[in-house]
Coordinates of all heavy atoms in Angstrom, one line a residue:
M1 N 121.2 108.6 111.1 CA 120.6 108.9 109.8 C 121.3 108.1 108.7 O 122.5 108.1 108.6 CB 120.7 110.4 109.6 CG 120.1 110.8 108.3 SD 120.2 112.6 107.8 CE 119.8 113.4 109.3
S2 N 120.5 107.4 107.9 CA 121.0 106.6 106.9 C 121.3 107.5 105.6 O 120.7 108.5 105.5 CB 120.1 105.4 106.5 OG 118.9 105.9 106.0
T3 N 122.3 107.1 104.8 CA 122.6 107.8 103.6 C 122.4 106.9 102.4 O 122.9 105.7 102.4 CB 124.0 108.3 103.6 OG1 124.2 109.2 104.8 CG2 124.4 109.0 102.4
I4 N 121.8 107.4 101.4 CA 121.5 106.6 100.1 C 121.9 107.5 99.0 O 122.1 108.7 99.1 CB 120.1 106.1 100.0 CG1 119.1 107.4 100.0 CG2 119.7 105.2 101.2 CD1 117.7 107.0 99.7
F5 N 121.9 106.9 97.8 CA 122.2 107.7 96.6 C 120.9 108.1 95.9 O 119.9 107.4 96.0 CB 123.0 106.8 95.6 CG 124.5 106.7 96.0 CD1 124.9 105.6 96.6 CD2 125.3 107.8 95.8 CE1 126.3 105.5 97.0 CE2 126.7 107.7 96.2 CZ 127.1 106.5 96.8
A6 N 121.0 109.3 95.2 CA 119.8 109.8 94.5 C 119.4 108.7 93.5 O 120.2 108.0 92.9 CB 120.2 111.1 93.7
G7 N 118.1 108.6 93.3 CA 117.5 107.6 92.4 C 117.0 106.4 93.1 O 116.4 105.5 92.5
T8 N 117.4 106.2 94.4 CA 117.0 105.0 95.2 C 115.6 105.1 95.6 O 115.1 106.2 96.0 CB 117.9 104.9 96.5 OG1 119.3 104.8 96.1 CG2 117.5 103.7 97.3
T9 N 114.8 104.0 95.6 CA 113.5 104.0 96.1 C 113.5 103.6 97.5 O 114.1 102.5 97.9 CB 112.6 102.9 95.3 OG1 112.6 103.3 93.9 CG2 111.2 102.8 95.9
V10 N 112.9 104.4 98.4 CA 112.9 104.1 99.8 C 111.5 103.7 100.2 O 110.5 104.4 99.9 CB 113.3 105.4 100.6 CG1 113.2 105.2 102.1 CG2 114.7 105.9 100.2
S11 N 111.4 102.6 100.9 CA 110.1 102.1 101.3 C 109.9 102.6 102.8 O 110.8 102.2 103.6 CB 110.0 100.6 101.3 OG 108.7 100.1 101.5
I12 N 108.9 103.3 103.1 CA 108.7 103.9 104.4 C 107.5 103.1 105.0 O 106.4 103.2 104.6 CB 108.3 105.4 104.3 CG1 109.4 106.2 103.5 CG2 108.0 106.0 105.6 CD1 109.1 107.6 103.2
P13 N 107.8 102.4 106.1 CA 106.8 101.6 106.7 C 106.1 102.2 107.9 O 106.7 103.1 108.6 CB 107.6 100.4 107.2 CG 108.9 101.0 107.6 CD 109.1 102.1 106.6
L14 N 104.9 101.8 108.2 CA 104.2 102.2 109.4 C 103.5 100.9 110.0 O 102.4 100.6 109.5 CB 103.2 103.3 109.2 CG 102.3 103.6 110.4 CD1 103.1 104.2 111.5 CD2 101.1 104.4 110.1
P15 N 104.0 100.3 111.0 CA 103.3 99.2 111.7 C 102.5 99.8 112.8 O 103.0 100.7 113.5 CB 104.4 98.3 112.2 CG 105.6 99.3 112.4 CD 105.4 100.4 111.4
V16 N 101.2 99.4 112.9 CA 100.4 100.0 114.0 C 99.9 98.8 114.9 O 99.3 97.8 114.4 CB 99.1 100.7 113.4 CG1 98.3 101.2 114.6 CG2 99.5 101.8 112.5
T17 N 100.2 98.9 116.2 CA 99.9 97.8 117.1 C 99.3 98.4 118.4 O 99.5 99.5 118.7 CB 101.1 96.9 117.5 OG1 102.1 97.8 118.1 CG2 101.7 96.2 116.3
V18 N 98.5 97.6 119.1 CA 98.0 97.9 120.4 C 99.1 97.7 121.4 O 99.7 96.7 121.5 CB 96.8 97.0 120.8 CG1 96.3 97.4 122.2 CG2 95.7 97.2 119.7
V19 N 99.4 98.8 122.1 CA 100.6 98.7 123.0 C 100.4 97.6 124.1 O 101.4 96.9 124.3 CB 100.8 100.1 123.7 CG1 101.9 100.0 124.8 CG2 101.1 101.2 122.7
A20 N 99.3 97.5 124.7 CA 99.1 96.5 125.7 C 99.2 95.1 125.3 O 99.7 94.2 126.0 CB 97.7 96.7 126.4
T21 N 98.8 94.8 124.0 CA 98.8 93.4 123.6 C 99.8 93.1 122.5 O 100.2 92.0 122.2 CB 97.4 93.0 123.1 OG1 97.1 93.8 121.9 CG2 96.4 93.2 124.1
G22 N 100.2 94.1 121.8 CA 101.1 93.9 120.6 C 100.4 93.5 119.4 O 101.0 93.2 118.3
A23 N 99.0 93.4 119.4 CA 98.2 93.0 118.3 C 98.2 94.1 117.2 O 98.0 95.3 117.6 CB 96.8 92.6 118.8
A24 N 98.2 93.7 116.0 CA 98.1 94.6 114.9 C 96.7 95.2 114.8 O 95.7 94.4 115.1 CB 98.5 94.0 113.6
V25 N 96.5 96.4 114.5 CA 95.2 97.1 114.4 C 95.2 98.1 113.3 O 96.2 98.7 112.9 CB 94.9 97.8 115.7 CG1 95.8 98.9 116.1 CG2 93.4 98.3 115.7
D26 N 94.0 98.2 112.6 CA 93.8 99.2 111.6 C 93.3 100.4 112.2 O 92.2 100.4 112.8 CB 92.9 98.7 110.5 CG 93.5 97.7 109.6 OD1 94.7 97.7 109.4 OD2 92.7 96.8 109.1
P27 N 94.0 101.6 112.1 CA 93.6 102.8 112.6 C 92.4 103.4 111.8 O 92.1 102.9 110.7 CB 94.8 103.7 112.5 CG 95.9 102.9 111.9 CD 95.3 101.6 111.4
T28 N 91.8 104.4 112.4 CA 90.7 105.1 111.8 C 91.2 105.8 110.5 O 90.5 105.7 109.5 CB 90.0 106.1 112.7 OG1 89.7 105.4 113.9 CG2 88.8 106.8 112.1
A29 N 92.3 106.4 110.6 CA 92.9 107.1 109.4 C 94.4 107.0 109.5 O 95.0 107.0 110.6 CB 92.5 108.6 109.4
V30 N 95.1 106.9 108.3 CA 96.5 106.8 108.2 C 97.0 107.8 107.2 O 96.5 107.9 106.1 CB 97.0 105.4 107.7 CG1 98.5 105.3 107.6 CG2 96.5 104.3 108.7
L31 N 98.0 108.6 107.6 CA 98.5 109.7 106.8 C 100.1 109.6 106.8 O 100.6 109.2 107.8 CB 98.1 111.0 107.2 CG 96.6 111.2 107.2 CD1 95.9 111.0 108.5 CD2 96.3 112.6 106.7
C32 N 100.7 110.1 105.8 CA 102.1 110.2 105.7 C 102.5 111.5 105.0 O 101.9 111.9 104.0 CB 102.7 109.0 104.9 SG 104.5 109.1 104.7
K33 N 103.4 112.2 105.7 CA 104.0 113.5 105.1 C 105.4 113.2 104.7 O 106.2 112.7 105.5 CB 103.9 114.6 106.1 CG 102.5 115.1 106.3 CD 102.5 116.3 107.2 CE 101.0 116.8 107.3 NZ 101.0 118.2 107.7
V34 N 105.8 113.6 103.5 CA 107.2 113.5 103.1 C 107.7 114.9 102.7 O 107.0 115.6 101.9 CB 107.3 112.6 101.9 CG1 108.8 112.5 101.4 CG2 106.8 111.2 102.2
R35 N 108.8 115.3 103.3 CA 109.4 116.6 103.0 C 110.7 116.4 102.2 O 111.6 115.8 102.7 CB 109.7 117.4 104.2 CG 110.3 118.8 103.9 CD 110.4 119.7 105.1 NE 110.9 119.0 106.3 CZ 112.1 118.8 106.7 NH1 113.1 119.2 105.8 NH2 112.4 118.2 107.8
K36 N 110.8 116.9 101.0 CA 112.0 116.9 100.2 C 113.0 117.9 100.7 O 112.6 118.9 101.4 CB 111.6 117.2 98.7 CG 110.8 116.2 98.0 CD 110.5 116.7 96.6 CE 109.8 115.7 95.8 NZ 109.6 116.1 94.4
P37 N 114.2 117.8 100.2 CA 115.2 118.8 100.6 C 114.9 120.2 100.2 O 115.3 121.2 100.9 CB 116.5 118.3 99.9 CG 116.3 116.9 99.8 CD 114.8 116.7 99.5
D38 N 114.1 120.4 99.2 CA 113.7 121.8 98.8 C 112.6 122.4 99.6 O 112.1 123.5 99.3 CB 113.4 121.8 97.3 CG 112.1 121.1 96.9 OD1 111.4 120.6 97.8 OD2 111.8 121.0 95.7
G39 N 112.1 121.6 100.6 CA 111.0 122.1 101.4 C 109.6 121.7 101.0 O 108.7 121.9 101.7
T40 N 109.5 121.1 99.8 CA 108.2 120.6 99.3 C 107.7 119.5 100.2 O 108.4 118.5 100.5 CB 108.3 120.1 97.9 OG1 108.8 121.1 97.1 CG2 106.9 119.7 97.3
I41 N 106.4 119.6 100.7 CA 105.8 118.6 101.5 C 104.6 118.0 100.8 O 103.8 118.7 100.2 CB 105.3 119.2 102.8 CG1 106.5 119.7 103.6 CG2 104.5 118.1 103.6 CD1 106.1 120.4 104.9
T42 N 104.6 116.6 100.7 CA 103.5 115.9 100.1 C 102.8 115.1 101.2 O 103.5 114.5 102.0 CB 104.1 114.9 99.1 OG1 104.8 115.6 98.0 CG2 102.9 114.1 98.4
T43 N 101.5 115.2 101.3 CA 100.7 114.5 102.3 C 99.9 113.4 101.6 O 99.2 113.7 100.6 CB 99.8 115.5 103.1 OG1 100.6 116.5 103.7 CG2 99.0 114.7 104.1
L44 N 100.0 112.2 102.1 CA 99.3 111.1 101.5 C 98.3 110.6 102.6 O 98.6 110.5 103.7 CB 100.2 109.9 101.2 CG 101.4 110.3 100.2 CD1 102.3 109.1 100.1 CD2 100.8 110.6 98.8
T45 N 97.1 110.2 102.1 CA 96.1 109.7 103.0 C 95.7 108.3 102.5 O 95.3 108.2 101.3 CB 94.9 110.6 103.0 OG1 95.3 111.9 103.4 CG2 93.8 110.1 104.0
Y46 N 95.7 107.3 103.4 CA 95.3 106.0 103.0 C 93.8 106.0 102.6 O 93.0 106.6 103.2 CB 95.5 104.9 104.1 CG 95.0 103.6 103.7 CD1 95.6 102.8 102.8 CD2 93.8 103.1 104.3 CE1 95.1 101.6 102.4 CE2 93.3 101.9 103.9 CZ 93.9 101.1 102.9 OH 93.4 99.9 102.5
G47 N 93.5 105.3 101.5 CA 92.1 105.3 101.0 C 91.8 106.4 100.0 O 90.8 106.3 99.3
V48 N 92.7 107.4 99.9 CA 92.6 108.5 99.0 C 93.7 108.5 97.9 O 93.5 108.6 96.7 CB 92.6 109.9 99.7 CG1 92.5 111.0 98.7 CG2 91.4 109.9 100.7
D49 N 94.9 108.2 98.5 CA 96.1 108.2 97.6 C 96.6 106.8 97.4 O 97.0 106.1 98.4 CB 97.2 109.1 98.3 CG 96.8 110.5 98.4 OD1 96.6 111.2 97.4 OD2 96.6 111.0 99.6
G50 N 96.7 106.3 96.2 CA 97.1 105.0 95.9 C 98.5 104.7 96.3 O 98.9 103.5 96.5
A51 N 99.3 105.7 96.5 CA 100.7 105.5 96.9 C 100.9 105.1 98.3 O 101.9 104.6 98.7 CB 101.5 106.8 96.6
L52 N 99.9 105.2 99.2 CA 99.9 104.8 100.6 C 99.2 103.5 100.6 O 97.9 103.4 100.4 CB 99.3 105.8 101.5 CG 99.3 105.6 103.0 CD1 100.7 105.2 103.4 CD2 98.9 106.8 103.7
V53 N 99.9 102.4 100.9 CA 99.4 101.0 100.7 C 99.2 100.3 102.0 O 100.1 100.4 102.9 CB 100.4 100.2 99.8 CG1 100.0 98.8 99.6 CG2 100.6 100.9 98.5
K54 N 98.2 99.5 102.1 CA 98.0 98.6 103.3 C 98.5 97.3 102.9 O 97.9 96.6 102.0 CB 96.5 98.6 103.6 CG 96.2 97.6 104.8 CD 94.7 97.6 105.1 CE 94.4 96.6 106.2 NZ 93.0 96.6 106.5
A55 N 99.5 96.8 103.5 CA 100.1 95.5 103.2 C 99.4 94.4 104.0 O 99.3 93.2 103.5 CB 101.6 95.5 103.6
A56 N 98.9 94.6 105.2 CA 98.2 93.7 106.0 C 97.5 94.5 107.1 O 97.7 95.7 107.2 CB 99.2 92.7 106.6
V57 N 96.8 93.8 108.0 CA 96.2 94.5 109.2 C 97.3 95.2 109.9 O 98.3 94.6 110.3 CB 95.5 93.5 110.1 CG1 95.0 94.2 111.4 CG2 94.3 92.9 109.4
G58 N 97.1 96.5 110.1 CA 98.1 97.3 110.9 C 99.5 97.5 110.3 O 100.4 97.9 110.9
S59 N 99.6 97.3 109.0 CA 100.8 97.4 108.3 C 100.6 98.2 107.0 O 100.0 97.8 106.1 CB 101.4 96.1 107.9 OG 102.7 96.2 107.2
Y60 N 101.2 99.4 107.0 CA 101.1 100.4 105.9 C 102.5 100.8 105.4 O 103.4 100.8 106.2 CB 100.3 101.6 106.3 CG 98.9 101.3 106.8 CD1 98.7 100.8 108.1 CD2 97.8 101.4 105.9 CE1 97.4 100.5 108.5 CE2 96.6 101.0 106.3 CZ 96.4 100.6 107.6 OH 95.1 100.3 108.0
Y61 N 102.6 101.2 104.2 CA 103.9 101.7 103.7 C 103.6 102.6 102.4 O 102.6 102.6 101.8 CB 104.8 100.6 103.3 CG 104.4 99.9 102.1 CD1 104.9 100.2 100.8 CD2 103.6 98.8 102.1 CE1 104.6 99.6 99.7 CE2 103.2 98.1 101.0 CZ 103.7 98.5 99.7 OH 103.3 97.8 98.6
T62 N 104.6 103.4 102.1 CA 104.7 104.1 100.9 C 106.1 104.1 100.3 O 107.1 104.0 101.1 CB 104.2 105.6 101.0 OG1 104.1 106.1 99.7 CG2 105.1 106.4 101.8
D63 N 106.3 104.0 99.0 CA 107.6 104.0 98.4 C 107.8 105.4 97.9 O 107.0 106.0 97.2 CB 107.7 103.0 97.3 CG 107.6 101.6 97.8 OD1 108.0 101.4 98.9 OD2 107.2 100.7 97.0
V64 N 109.0 105.9 98.1 CA 109.4 107.3 97.7 C 110.7 107.2 96.9 O 111.6 106.5 97.3 CB 109.7 108.2 98.9 CG1 110.2 109.5 98.5 CG2 108.4 108.4 99.7
V65 N 110.7 107.7 95.7 CA 111.9 107.8 94.9 C 112.7 109.0 95.3 O 112.2 110.1 95.1 CB 111.7 107.7 93.4 CG1 113.0 107.8 92.6 CG2 110.9 106.5 93.0
A66 N 113.8 108.9 95.9 CA 114.6 110.0 96.4 C 115.4 110.6 95.3 O 116.5 110.2 94.9 CB 115.6 109.5 97.5
T67 N 114.9 111.6 94.6 CA 115.4 112.2 93.4 C 116.4 113.4 93.7 O 117.1 113.7 92.8 CB 114.3 112.7 92.5 OG1 113.4 113.6 93.3 CG2 113.5 111.5 92.0
E68 N 116.3 114.0 94.9 CA 117.1 115.2 95.2 C 118.1 114.9 96.3 O 117.8 114.2 97.2 CB 116.2 116.3 95.7 CG 115.2 116.9 94.8 CD 114.4 118.0 95.5 OE1 114.9 118.6 96.4 OE2 113.2 118.1 95.1
A69 N 119.3 115.4 96.1 CA 120.3 115.3 97.1 C 119.9 116.2 98.3 O 119.3 117.2 98.2 CB 121.7 115.7 96.6
G70 N 120.2 115.7 99.5 CA 119.9 116.5 100.7 C 119.2 115.6 101.7 O 119.2 114.4 101.6
I71 N 118.6 116.3 102.8 CA 117.9 115.6 103.8 C 116.4 115.5 103.5 O 115.8 116.5 103.3 CB 118.2 116.2 105.2 CG1 119.7 116.1 105.5 CG2 117.4 115.5 106.3 CD1 120.1 116.8 106.8
W72 N 115.9 114.3 103.5 CA 114.5 114.0 103.4 C 113.9 113.6 104.7 O 114.6 113.0 105.5 CB 114.3 112.8 102.4 CG 114.6 113.1 101.0 CD1 115.8 113.4 100.5 CD2 113.7 113.0 99.9 NE1 115.7 113.6 99.1 CE2 114.4 113.3 98.7 CE3 112.4 112.7 99.8 CZ2 113.9 113.3 97.5 CZ3 111.8 112.7 98.5 CH2 112.5 113.1 97.4
A73 N 112.7 114.1 105.0 CA 112.1 113.7 106.3 C 110.7 113.2 106.0 O 110.1 113.5 105.0 CB 112.0 115.0 107.2
Y74 N 110.3 112.3 106.9 CA 108.9 111.8 106.7 C 108.3 111.6 108.1 O 108.9 111.4 109.1 CB 108.8 110.5 105.9 CG 109.5 109.4 106.4 CD1 108.9 108.5 107.3 CD2 110.8 109.1 106.1 CE1 109.6 107.4 107.8 CE2 111.5 108.0 106.6 CZ 110.8 107.1 107.4 OH 111.5 106.0 107.9
R75 N 106.9 111.7 108.1 CA 106.1 111.5 109.3 C 104.9 110.7 108.9 O 104.2 111.0 108.0 CB 105.7 112.8 109.9 CG 104.7 112.7 111.1 CD 104.4 114.1 111.6 NE 103.3 114.0 112.7 CZ 103.6 113.7 113.9 NH1 104.8 113.5 114.3 NH2 102.6 113.7 114.8
F76 N 104.8 109.5 109.6 CA 103.6 108.7 109.5 C 102.8 108.9 110.7 O 103.3 109.0 111.8 CB 104.0 107.2 109.4 CG 103.8 106.5 108.1 CD1 104.8 105.9 107.5 CD2 102.5 106.5 107.6 CE1 104.6 105.2 106.3 CE2 102.3 105.8 106.4 CZ 103.3 105.2 105.7
Y77 N 101.5 109.1 110.6 CA 100.6 109.2 111.8 C 99.3 108.6 111.5 O 98.8 108.5 110.3 CB 100.6 110.6 112.3 CG 100.1 111.6 111.3 CD1 98.8 112.1 111.4 CD2 100.9 112.1 110.3 CE1 98.3 113.1 110.5 CE2 100.5 113.1 109.4 CZ 99.2 113.6 109.5 OH 98.7 114.6 108.7
S78 N 98.6 108.2 112.5 CA 97.3 107.6 112.4 C 96.4 108.2 113.5 O 96.9 108.7 114.5 CB 97.3 106.1 112.6 OG 97.9 105.7 113.8
T79 N 95.1 108.2 113.3 CA 94.2 108.8 114.2 C 93.1 107.8 114.6 O 92.9 106.7 114.0 CB 93.5 110.0 113.6 OG1 92.7 109.6 112.5 CG2 94.4 111.1 113.2
G80 N 92.4 108.1 115.7 CA 91.3 107.3 116.2 C 91.9 106.0 116.8 O 92.9 106.0 117.5
T81 N 91.2 104.9 116.5 CA 91.7 103.6 117.0 C 93.1 103.4 116.4 O 93.4 103.6 115.2 CB 90.8 102.5 116.4 OG1 89.4 102.7 116.8 CG2 91.2 101.1 116.9
G82 N 94.0 103.0 117.3 CA 95.4 102.8 116.9 C 96.2 104.0 116.6 O 97.1 104.1 115.8
Q83 N 95.8 105.1 117.3 CA 96.5 106.4 117.1 C 98.0 106.2 117.4 O 98.3 105.7 118.5 CB 95.9 107.4 118.1 CG 96.5 108.8 117.9 CD 95.8 109.9 118.7 OE1 94.7 109.7 119.1 NE2 96.5 111.0 118.9
A84 N 98.8 106.7 116.5 CA 100.2 106.6 116.7 C 100.9 107.6 115.8 O 100.3 108.2 114.9 CB 100.7 105.2 116.3
A85 N 102.2 107.8 116.0 CA 103.0 108.8 115.1 C 104.4 108.4 115.2 O 104.9 107.9 116.2 CB 102.8 110.2 115.5
G86 N 105.1 108.7 114.1 CA 106.6 108.5 114.1 C 107.2 109.3 113.0 O 106.5 109.5 112.0
E87 N 108.4 109.7 113.1 CA 109.1 110.4 112.0 C 110.6 110.2 112.1 O 111.1 109.9 113.2 CB 108.7 111.9 112.0 CG 109.0 112.6 113.3 CD 108.5 114.1 113.2 OE1 107.3 114.3 113.3 OE2 109.4 115.0 113.0
T88 N 111.2 110.3 111.0 CA 112.6 110.2 110.9 C 113.1 110.8 109.6 O 112.3 111.4 108.9 CB 113.1 108.7 111.0 OG1 114.5 108.6 111.2 CG2 112.7 107.9 109.7
S89 N 114.4 110.7 109.3 CA 114.9 111.3 108.1 C 116.0 110.5 107.5 O 116.5 109.6 108.2 CB 115.4 112.7 108.4 OG 116.4 112.7 109.4
F90 N 116.4 110.8 106.3 CA 117.5 110.1 105.6 C 118.2 111.1 104.7 O 117.6 112.1 104.3 CB 117.1 108.8 104.9 CG 116.0 109.0 103.8 CD1 116.4 109.3 102.5 CD2 114.7 109.0 104.2 CE1 115.4 109.5 101.6 CE2 113.7 109.1 103.2 CZ 114.0 109.4 101.9
R91 N 119.4 110.9 104.5 CA 120.3 111.8 103.6 C 120.4 111.1 102.3 O 120.7 109.9 102.1 CB 121.6 112.0 104.2 CG 122.5 112.9 103.5 CD 123.9 113.1 104.1 NE 123.8 113.4 105.5 CZ 123.6 114.7 106.0 NH1 123.5 115.7 105.2 NH2 123.6 114.9 107.3
V92 N 120.3 112.0 101.2 CA 120.5 111.5 99.8 C 121.7 112.2 99.3 O 121.9 113.4 99.3 CB 119.3 111.8 99.0 CG1 119.5 111.4 97.5 CG2 118.0 111.1 99.5
R93 N 122.6 111.3 98.7 CA 123.9 111.9 98.1 C 123.7 111.8 96.6 O 123.1 111.0 96.0 CB 125.0 110.9 98.4 CG 125.6 111.1 99.8 CD 126.8 110.2 100.0 NE 127.7 110.2 98.8 CZ 128.8 109.4 98.7 NH1 129.0 108.5 99.6 NH2 129.5 109.5 97.7
E94 N 124.2 112.8 95.9 CA 124.3 112.9 94.5 C 125.3 111.8 94.0 O 126.3 111.6 94.7 CB 124.7 114.2 94.0 CG 123.5 115.2 94.0 CD 123.9 116.5 93.2 OE1 124.5 116.3 92.1 OE2 123.5 117.5 93.7
S95 N 125.0 111.3 92.9 CA 125.9 110.3 92.2 C 127.1 111.1 91.7 O 126.9 112.2 91.2 CB 125.2 109.5 91.1 OG 126.1 108.8 90.4
S96 N 128.2 110.4 91.6 CA 129.4 111.0 91.0 C 129.4 110.8 89.5 O 130.2 111.3 88.8 CB 130.7 110.4 91.5 OG 130.8 110.6 92.9
F97 N 128.3 110.1 89.0 CA 128.3 109.9 87.6 C 127.1 110.5 86.9 O 126.1 110.8 87.4 CB 128.1 108.3 87.3 CG 129.4 107.6 87.8 CD1 129.4 107.1 89.1 CD2 130.5 107.4 87.0 CE1 130.5 106.5 89.6 CE2 131.6 106.8 87.5 CZ 131.6 106.3 88.8

């Protein structure tokens, strides 16, 4: 688990590829859930929320400003064509200043 300081912008990526060929593919739907240390969960949907961005075919991301100290978690998932899922977390430290 990586550790960053509060106020850092974290770019959360989601590459989607076909397992058999490694070719990038656009899924039917792309979603991202972000859980703050206080338990608040935000769900973003590509095509609905401007914060969930398509960078190229099969390449999506969202930027999150880590404002609270503690453990942040996120889950990216897609449905239909290119169905995939992944999740991880990172720790945010408060600044000493």
Side-chain angles (χ1 to χ4, degrees):
M1 179 183 313
S2 62
T3 300
I4 61 171
F5 285 102
T8 301
T9 299
V10 178
S11 189
I12 302 172
L14 173 69
V16 182
T17 59
V18 176
V19 174
T21 65
V25 62
D26 284 331
T28 305
V30 177
L31 297 97
C32 180
K33 290 187 176 197
V34 178
R35 182 174 38 86
K36 293 179 175 183
D38 69 4
T40 304
I41 297 174
T42 301
T43 302
L44 303 171
T45 303
Y46 175 71
V48 175
D49 300 294
L52 185 48
V53 179
K54 178 180 174 181
V57 173
S59 180
Y60 300 83
Y61 72 92
T62 189
D63 290 335
V64 174
V65 180
T67 54
E68 292 179 32
I71 296 175
W72 290 62
Y74 62 88
R75 175 178 173 80
F76 246 124
Y77 57 104
S78 57
T79 62
T81 302
Q83 182 173 340
E87 57 185 75
T88 193
S89 58
F90 56 92
R91 182 182 310 276
V92 175
R93 284 183 43 186
E94 281 192 39
S95 171
S96 298
F97 297 92

